[in-house]
């Protein structure tokens, strides 16, 4: 391996503490609690709307589409405003009780997701490392070929009475971005990135 892209083996990653079952359990818990929170929030909004509509003599035209969605609740609120207020208080209490559980479940899910991502990545690490090494070998081989082509033309130019490109065309300049010998070439920048990733 050439010095330009020489790398040391990637250090072993920290062992992931996740399991697929653990991640799925955390995901299921998060989805369940998140769904309950959304349902509670929606129920509170619907009841608040219904209580307001029940308290006015005439529903504004711009709000009639909302009122149409809670017609049954509006009638219930008019029949028993005290019961509606109690129901609203109960829903708000349930929501306040659920919020910390929602936050905790989300944190557990995010931790489990991160750990599972590490675990899954580990199953691909060896194959990815082989693929990266194949790219390194190909880039270095191409760089050596470009260098050899330039040397041949340089030798030709040194001895030929008429060293024109028509007789020995320059075919390497079009691949200058693949030249590891050029600091600002795409290949050289890529090699530096690979070294930083593996250092």
């Amino acid at each position: 391996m050439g010095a330009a892209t020489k790398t040391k083996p990637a250090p072993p990653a920290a062992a992931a503490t996740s399991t697929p079952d653990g991640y799925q359990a955390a995901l299921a818990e998060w989805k369940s609690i998140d769904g309950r929170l959304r349902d509670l929030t929606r129920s509170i909004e619907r009841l608040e709307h219904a209580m307001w509509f029940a308290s006015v003599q005439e529903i504004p035209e711009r709000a009639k589409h909302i009122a149409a969605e809670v017609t049954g609740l509006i009638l219930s609120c008019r029949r028993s405003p005290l019961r509606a207020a109690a129901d609203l208080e109960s829903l708000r209490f349930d929501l306040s009780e659920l919020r910390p559980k929602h936050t905790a479940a989300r944190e557990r899910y995010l931790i489990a997701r991160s750990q599972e991502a590490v675990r899954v990545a580990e199953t691909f690490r060896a194959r990815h490392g082989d693929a990266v090494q194949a790219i390194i070998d190909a880039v270095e081989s191409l760089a050596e070929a470009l260098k050899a082509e330039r040397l041949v033309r340089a030798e030709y130019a040194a001895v030929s009475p008429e060293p024109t490109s028509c007789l020995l065309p320059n075919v390497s300049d079009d691949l200058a971005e693949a030249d590891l010998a050029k600091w600002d070439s795409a290949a050289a920048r890529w090699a530096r990135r690979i070294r930083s990733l593996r250092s």
Side-chain angles (χ1 to χ4, degrees):
M1 184 180 295
T5 53
K6 187 173 183 179
T7 60
K8 63 181 181 181
T17 60
S18 172
T19 64
D21 289 343
Y23 166 68
Q24 291 299 330
L27 175 60
E29 179 194 29
W30 159 245
K31 284 185 174 180
S32 174
I33 293 181
D34 189 57
R36 286 161 54 196
L37 185 137
R38 290 174 184 272
D39 289 345
L40 269 175
T41 301
R42 178 60 179 158
S43 295
I44 290 171
E45 289 176 351
R46 285 169 55 85
L47 186 51
E48 288 175 339
H49 287 153
M51 291 176 68
W52 185 84
F53 290 134
S55 69
V56 299
Q57 293 295 322
E58 183 177 354
I59 296 174
E61 188 66 32
R62 67 178 183 278
K64 284 185 177 180
H65 68 286
I66 300 176
E69 297 176 0
V70 292
T71 301
L73 281 175
I74 294 173
L75 296 175
S76 296
C77 291
R78 284 173 176 167
R79 284 195 301 267
S80 180
L82 292 180
R83 175 62 183 273
D87 288 345
L88 180 59
E89 183 179 355
S90 177
L91 287 171
R92 286 172 172 168
F93 176 80
D94 290 345
L95 182 61
S96 68
E97 288 281 292
L98 187 60
R99 285 194 185 282
K101 297 177 183 178
H102 180 268
T103 300
R106 182 175 185 274
E107 288 299 316
R108 286 191 292 272
Y109 161 65
L110 292 176
I111 291 172
R113 184 180 67 176
S114 177
Q115 292 175 338
E116 178 67 0
V118 172
R119 187 194 70 78
V120 172
E122 282 302 302
T123 66
F124 290 90
R125 190 176 298 279
R127 286 171 54 200
H128 184 255
D130 291 343
V132 171
Q133 188 58 53
I135 296 173
I136 291 173
D137 294 342
V139 169
E140 290 181 341
S141 178
L142 178 57
E144 288 298 318
L146 293 173
K147 179 180 178 182
E149 193 273 345
R150 288 195 302 271
L151 287 175
V152 170
R153 284 189 293 105
E155 292 176 9
Y156 159 69
V159 298
S160 173
E162 190 179 359
T164 69
S165 59
C166 293
L167 298 174
L168 213 64
N170 178 349
V171 298
S172 60
D173 276 0
D174 289 341
L175 295 173
E177 288 299 318
D179 192 347
L180 288 170
K182 294 185 177 181
W183 172 261
D184 61 345
S185 70
R189 293 195 301 271
W190 179 83
R192 292 194 293 273
R193 178 169 177 260
I194 291 297
R195 286 199 301 272
S196 69
L197 288 174
R198 292 191 168 187
S199 60

Short mmCIF file of all heavy atoms in Angstrom, two decimals, residues 22-37 97-114:
data_model
loop_
_atom_site.label_atom_id
_atom_site.label_comp_id
_atom_site.label_asym_id
_atom_site.label_seq_id
_atom_site.Cartn_x
_atom_site.Cartn_y
_atom_site.Cartn_z
N GLY A 22 -34.64 -5.51 22.59
CA GLY A 22 -34.64 -4.34 23.46
C GLY A 22 -35.03 -3.08 22.72
O GLY A 22 -35.80 -2.24 23.23
N TYR A 23 -34.53 -2.96 21.50
CA TYR A 23 -34.87 -1.79 20.69
C TYR A 23 -36.35 -1.81 20.32
O TYR A 23 -37.04 -0.79 20.42
CB TYR A 23 -34.02 -1.77 19.42
CG TYR A 23 -34.52 -0.80 18.38
CD1 TYR A 23 -34.46 0.58 18.60
CD2 TYR A 23 -35.08 -1.26 17.19
CE1 TYR A 23 -34.94 1.46 17.65
CE2 TYR A 23 -35.56 -0.37 16.25
CZ TYR A 23 -35.49 0.98 16.48
OH TYR A 23 -35.97 1.86 15.55
N GLN A 24 -36.85 -2.95 19.90
CA GLN A 24 -38.26 -3.05 19.52
C GLN A 24 -39.17 -2.78 20.71
O GLN A 24 -40.24 -2.16 20.56
CB GLN A 24 -38.55 -4.44 18.93
CG GLN A 24 -37.91 -4.69 17.57
CD GLN A 24 -38.39 -3.73 16.51
OE1 GLN A 24 -39.53 -3.25 16.55
NE2 GLN A 24 -37.54 -3.41 15.56
N ALA A 25 -38.76 -3.23 21.90
CA ALA A 25 -39.57 -2.98 23.10
C ALA A 25 -39.62 -1.49 23.41
O ALA A 25 -40.68 -0.94 23.75
CB ALA A 25 -39.00 -3.76 24.29
N ALA A 26 -38.47 -0.83 23.31
CA ALA A 26 -38.43 0.62 23.56
C ALA A 26 -39.24 1.38 22.53
O ALA A 26 -39.93 2.35 22.85
CB ALA A 26 -36.98 1.10 23.57
N LEU A 27 -39.17 0.94 21.28
CA LEU A 27 -39.93 1.58 20.21
C LEU A 27 -41.43 1.39 20.43
O LEU A 27 -42.21 2.35 20.28
CB LEU A 27 -39.53 0.99 18.86
CG LEU A 27 -40.31 1.46 17.63
CD1 LEU A 27 -40.19 2.97 17.46
CD2 LEU A 27 -39.85 0.73 16.38
N ALA A 28 -41.83 0.18 20.81
CA ALA A 28 -43.26 -0.08 21.04
C ALA A 28 -43.78 0.75 22.22
O ALA A 28 -44.88 1.30 22.15
CB ALA A 28 -43.46 -1.57 21.31
N GLU A 29 -42.96 0.84 23.27
CA GLU A 29 -43.38 1.64 24.43
C GLU A 29 -43.54 3.10 24.04
O GLU A 29 -44.52 3.76 24.41
CB GLU A 29 -42.35 1.51 25.55
CG GLU A 29 -42.70 2.33 26.78
CD GLU A 29 -41.55 2.48 27.76
OE1 GLU A 29 -40.37 2.44 27.31
OE2 GLU A 29 -41.81 2.65 28.96
N TRP A 30 -42.57 3.62 23.28
CA TRP A 30 -42.61 5.02 22.86
C TRP A 30 -43.82 5.29 21.99
O TRP A 30 -44.54 6.28 22.20
CB TRP A 30 -41.32 5.36 22.12
CG TRP A 30 -41.42 6.55 21.23
CD1 TRP A 30 -41.30 6.56 19.88
CD2 TRP A 30 -41.65 7.90 21.60
NE1 TRP A 30 -41.45 7.83 19.38
CE2 TRP A 30 -41.66 8.68 20.42
CE3 TRP A 30 -41.86 8.53 22.81
CZ2 TRP A 30 -41.87 10.05 20.42
CZ3 TRP A 30 -42.07 9.91 22.82
CH2 TRP A 30 -42.07 10.65 21.65
N LYS A 31 -44.09 4.41 21.04
CA LYS A 31 -45.24 4.60 20.16
C LYS A 31 -46.55 4.57 20.94
O LYS A 31 -47.47 5.35 20.66
CB LYS A 31 -45.25 3.53 19.07
CG LYS A 31 -44.24 3.75 17.96
CD LYS A 31 -44.41 2.72 16.86
CE LYS A 31 -43.50 3.01 15.67
NZ LYS A 31 -43.67 2.01 14.59
N SER A 32 -46.63 3.66 21.90
CA SER A 32 -47.85 3.53 22.69
C SER A 32 -48.12 4.79 23.51
O SER A 32 -49.22 5.36 23.47
CB SER A 32 -47.75 2.31 23.61
OG SER A 32 -48.87 2.24 24.48
N ILE A 33 -47.09 5.24 24.22
CA ILE A 33 -47.27 6.42 25.07
C ILE A 33 -47.45 7.67 24.22
O ILE A 33 -48.27 8.54 24.54
CB ILE A 33 -46.07 6.58 26.03
CG1 ILE A 33 -46.07 5.44 27.05
CG2 ILE A 33 -46.10 7.92 26.74
CD1 ILE A 33 -44.95 5.50 28.06
N ASP A 34 -46.74 7.76 23.12
CA ASP A 34 -46.89 8.91 22.24
C ASP A 34 -48.31 8.95 21.65
O ASP A 34 -48.91 10.03 21.55
CB ASP A 34 -45.86 8.86 21.12
CG ASP A 34 -45.82 10.13 20.29
OD1 ASP A 34 -45.60 11.21 20.88
OD2 ASP A 34 -46.01 10.05 19.07
N GLY A 35 -48.82 7.78 21.30
CA GLY A 35 -50.18 7.73 20.79
C GLY A 35 -51.20 8.15 21.84
O GLY A 35 -52.16 8.89 21.53
N ARG A 36 -50.99 7.71 23.07
CA ARG A 36 -51.90 8.10 24.15
C ARG A 36 -51.85 9.60 24.39
O ARG A 36 -52.89 10.25 24.62
CB ARG A 36 -51.55 7.34 25.43
CG ARG A 36 -51.97 5.88 25.42
CD ARG A 36 -51.23 5.07 26.44
NE ARG A 36 -51.36 5.64 27.79
CZ ARG A 36 -50.58 5.30 28.82
NH1 ARG A 36 -49.59 4.43 28.63
NH2 ARG A 36 -50.76 5.84 29.99
N LEU A 37 -50.66 10.17 24.35
CA LEU A 37 -50.53 11.61 24.57
C LEU A 37 -51.23 12.38 23.45
O LEU A 37 -51.92 13.38 23.73
CB LEU A 37 -49.05 11.99 24.63
CG LEU A 37 -48.78 13.46 24.97
CD1 LEU A 37 -47.65 13.57 25.99
CD2 LEU A 37 -48.42 14.26 23.72
N GLU A 97 -50.09 13.84 34.07
CA GLU A 97 -49.49 12.61 34.60
C GLU A 97 -48.70 11.88 33.51
O GLU A 97 -47.68 11.23 33.80
CB GLU A 97 -50.59 11.69 35.13
CG GLU A 97 -51.24 12.17 36.42
CD GLU A 97 -50.39 11.86 37.63
OE1 GLU A 97 -50.24 10.68 37.97
OE2 GLU A 97 -49.86 12.82 38.24
N LEU A 98 -49.18 11.97 32.28
CA LEU A 98 -48.55 11.22 31.19
C LEU A 98 -47.30 11.90 30.65
O LEU A 98 -46.40 11.21 30.17
CB LEU A 98 -49.57 11.04 30.06
CG LEU A 98 -49.15 10.15 28.89
CD1 LEU A 98 -48.85 8.73 29.37
CD2 LEU A 98 -50.23 10.13 27.81
N ARG A 99 -47.21 13.21 30.75
CA ARG A 99 -46.08 13.92 30.13
C ARG A 99 -44.72 13.44 30.62
O ARG A 99 -43.82 13.19 29.79
CB ARG A 99 -46.23 15.44 30.36
CG ARG A 99 -47.29 16.08 29.48
CD ARG A 99 -47.17 17.60 29.48
NE ARG A 99 -48.24 18.23 28.73
CZ ARG A 99 -48.29 18.32 27.41
NH1 ARG A 99 -47.30 17.81 26.68
NH2 ARG A 99 -49.31 18.92 26.81
N PRO A 100 -44.47 13.31 31.93
CA PRO A 100 -43.15 12.81 32.34
C PRO A 100 -42.88 11.38 31.87
O PRO A 100 -41.74 11.03 31.54
CB PRO A 100 -43.19 12.90 33.88
CG PRO A 100 -44.63 12.99 34.24
CD PRO A 100 -45.30 13.68 33.11
N LYS A 101 -43.93 10.56 31.80
CA LYS A 101 -43.75 9.19 31.29
C LYS A 101 -43.42 9.24 29.80
O LYS A 101 -42.60 8.45 29.31
CB LYS A 101 -45.03 8.38 31.52
CG LYS A 101 -45.39 8.18 32.98
CD LYS A 101 -46.70 7.44 33.11
CE LYS A 101 -47.11 7.29 34.58
NZ LYS A 101 -48.42 6.61 34.72
N HIS A 102 -44.04 10.17 29.11
CA HIS A 102 -43.77 10.36 27.69
C HIS A 102 -42.33 10.77 27.46
O HIS A 102 -41.63 10.23 26.60
CB HIS A 102 -44.74 11.42 27.14
CG HIS A 102 -44.58 11.70 25.69
ND1 HIS A 102 -43.76 12.70 25.21
CD2 HIS A 102 -45.14 11.14 24.59
CE1 HIS A 102 -43.82 12.73 23.89
NE2 HIS A 102 -44.66 11.80 23.48
N THR A 103 -41.86 11.72 28.27
CA THR A 103 -40.47 12.18 28.16
C THR A 103 -39.49 11.06 28.45
O THR A 103 -38.50 10.87 27.73
CB THR A 103 -40.23 13.35 29.13
OG1 THR A 103 -41.11 14.43 28.81
CG2 THR A 103 -38.79 13.83 29.05
N ALA A 104 -39.77 10.29 29.51
CA ALA A 104 -38.87 9.19 29.88
C ALA A 104 -38.86 8.11 28.82
O ALA A 104 -37.79 7.56 28.48
CB ALA A 104 -39.31 8.59 31.22
N ALA A 105 -40.03 7.79 28.27
CA ALA A 105 -40.10 6.76 27.23
C ALA A 105 -39.35 7.22 25.98
O ALA A 105 -38.70 6.41 25.30
CB ALA A 105 -41.56 6.46 26.89
N ARG A 106 -39.45 8.51 25.67
CA ARG A 106 -38.74 9.03 24.50
C ARG A 106 -37.24 8.93 24.70
O ARG A 106 -36.50 8.55 23.78
CB ARG A 106 -39.14 10.48 24.24
CG ARG A 106 -38.49 11.09 23.01
CD ARG A 106 -39.01 12.49 22.74
NE ARG A 106 -38.47 13.03 21.51
CZ ARG A 106 -37.29 13.67 21.43
NH1 ARG A 106 -36.56 13.86 22.52
NH2 ARG A 106 -36.86 14.14 20.26
N GLU A 107 -36.76 9.25 25.90
CA GLU A 107 -35.33 9.14 26.19
C GLU A 107 -34.87 7.70 26.07
O GLU A 107 -33.81 7.42 25.49
CB GLU A 107 -35.03 9.68 27.59
CG GLU A 107 -35.14 11.19 27.71
CD GLU A 107 -34.16 11.91 26.80
OE1 GLU A 107 -32.99 11.49 26.74
OE2 GLU A 107 -34.57 12.87 26.14
N ARG A 108 -35.66 6.75 26.61
CA ARG A 108 -35.29 5.34 26.51
C ARG A 108 -35.25 4.88 25.06
O ARG A 108 -34.36 4.13 24.64
CB ARG A 108 -36.27 4.47 27.31
CG ARG A 108 -36.09 4.56 28.81
CD ARG A 108 -36.89 3.50 29.53
NE ARG A 108 -38.33 3.70 29.41
CZ ARG A 108 -39.04 4.44 30.25
NH1 ARG A 108 -38.44 5.06 31.27
NH2 ARG A 108 -40.34 4.56 30.11
N TYR A 109 -36.21 5.36 24.29
CA TYR A 109 -36.26 5.00 22.87
C TYR A 109 -35.04 5.55 22.13
O TYR A 109 -34.41 4.83 21.33
CB TYR A 109 -37.55 5.51 22.23
CG TYR A 109 -37.48 5.57 20.74
CD1 TYR A 109 -37.34 4.42 19.98
CD2 TYR A 109 -37.51 6.81 20.07
CE1 TYR A 109 -37.25 4.48 18.59
CE2 TYR A 109 -37.43 6.87 18.69
CZ TYR A 109 -37.30 5.71 17.96
OH TYR A 109 -37.21 5.77 16.60
N LEU A 110 -34.71 6.81 22.36
CA LEU A 110 -33.57 7.42 21.66
C LEU A 110 -32.27 6.71 22.00
O LEU A 110 -31.41 6.50 21.13
CB LEU A 110 -33.48 8.91 22.00
CG LEU A 110 -34.61 9.80 21.46
CD1 LEU A 110 -34.44 11.23 21.95
CD2 LEU A 110 -34.66 9.75 19.93
N ILE A 111 -32.10 6.34 23.28
CA ILE A 111 -30.89 5.61 23.70
C ILE A 111 -30.86 4.25 23.02
O ILE A 111 -29.83 3.83 22.48
CB ILE A 111 -30.85 5.47 25.23
CG1 ILE A 111 -30.61 6.84 25.88
CG2 ILE A 111 -29.75 4.49 25.64
CD1 ILE A 111 -30.75 6.84 27.39
N ALA A 112 -32.00 3.55 23.04
CA ALA A 112 -32.07 2.23 22.43
C ALA A 112 -31.82 2.31 20.92
O ALA A 112 -31.15 1.45 20.34
CB ALA A 112 -33.42 1.59 22.71
N ARG A 113 -32.35 3.35 20.29
CA ARG A 113 -32.16 3.52 18.84
C ARG A 113 -30.69 3.73 18.52
O ARG A 113 -30.16 3.16 17.56
CB ARG A 113 -33.00 4.68 18.33
CG ARG A 113 -32.94 4.85 16.82
CD ARG A 113 -33.78 6.01 16.34
NE ARG A 113 -33.27 7.29 16.78
CZ ARG A 113 -33.78 8.47 16.44
NH1 ARG A 113 -34.86 8.51 15.67
NH2 ARG A 113 -33.26 9.59 16.88
N SER A 114 -30.03 4.58 19.32
CA SER A 114 -28.61 4.84 19.09
C SER A 114 -27.78 3.57 19.27
O SER A 114 -26.89 3.26 18.47
CB SER A 114 -28.13 5.93 20.06
OG SER A 114 -26.75 6.17 19.91
#
